[in-house]
Amino acid sequence: MDKELSFDDAMKELETIVQKLEQGDVPLEAALDQFQEGIKLSRYCKSIVEDAEKTVTKMINENGSEEILED
């Protein structure tokens, strides 16, 4: 998997893998390879989302310091 892959491109690749696996006509070894690639893409997307959540939950206070927003 390319580390410079955008979130949208990673999601498209993941969707393609899911569609191929759902068709059920993929040989077992190829299906396992695709499943493993799907797991890698899923983890990559999850890390991007988690980083975005961390950014969104911060705000700059009056003194210019970052402050974590509480739920």
Side-chain angles (χ1 to χ4, degrees), residues 18-55:
V18 169
Q19 289 172 355
K20 287 179 184 177
L21 292 176
E22 284 179 341
Q23 290 174 357
D25 59 352
V26 179
L28 180 60
E29 286 184 16
L32 289 173
D33 289 342
Q34 289 182 350
F35 179 78
Q36 289 175 339
E37 182 64 19
I39 294 296
K40 290 177 189 175
L41 287 165
S42 175
R43 289 179 179 156
Y44 176 73
C45 290
K46 180 182 177 189
S47 72
I48 291 173
V49 169
E50 287 172 348
D51 289 346
E53 286 176 345
K54 288 176 188 174
T55 300

Side-chain angles (χ1 to χ4, degrees), residues 3 7 9 12-13 15 17 25 28 32 34-35 37 45-46 56 60 62 64-65:
K3 290 289 183 187
F7 178 81
D9 289 341
K12 286 177 188 173
E13 283 189 33
E15 288 172 9
I17 289 171
D25 59 352
L28 180 60
L32 289 173
Q34 289 182 350
F35 179 78
E37 182 64 19
C45 290
K46 180 182 177 189
V56 169
I60 306 297
E62 299 165 355
S65 300

